[in-house]
Amino acid sequence: MAYLCRDCGLKGKERGADGHCPACGSPRFLNARPQTSQEVVETRKGRLVLLAALWGALIYMIYQKLYGA
């Protein structure tokens, strides 16, 4: 299991021998779960759809303003 130190940000597979961070000596750890690539792809796809919709709305509004619909 992976760990993330809350103080220095060290990511590691194991804690130090005394249960503290090997880099800074802090006992404050979080269990770090790796993100799956599927979650990242869905987020990018959603943002891309939102970006396209907003650009489409902007172009439509400019068209209406110029040619008076």
Side-chain angles (χ1 to χ4, degrees):
M1 178 168 286
Y3 294 99
L4 174 67
C5 179
R6 290 184 183 178
D7 291 332
C8 70
L10 176 74
K11 295 178 184 177
K13 292 185 179 182
E14 297 180 5
R15 295 182 185 188
D18 56 354
H20 293 81
C21 176
C24 69
S26 172
R28 299 178 53 198
F29 276 95
L30 288 175
N31 289 336
R33 294 180 301 195
Q35 288 184 338
T36 61
S37 60
Q38 186 178 13
E39 292 175 8
V40 175
V41 172
E42 291 174 0
T43 303
R44 289 182 187 162
K45 184 178 178 183
R47 288 182 182 174
L48 184 61
V49 169
L50 178 63
L51 178 68
L54 290 174
W55 273 106
L58 177 65
I59 291 170
Y60 178 72
M61 288 179 197
I62 291 172
Y63 178 79
Q64 279 186 330
K65 191 74 168 174
L66 291 176
Y67 299 108

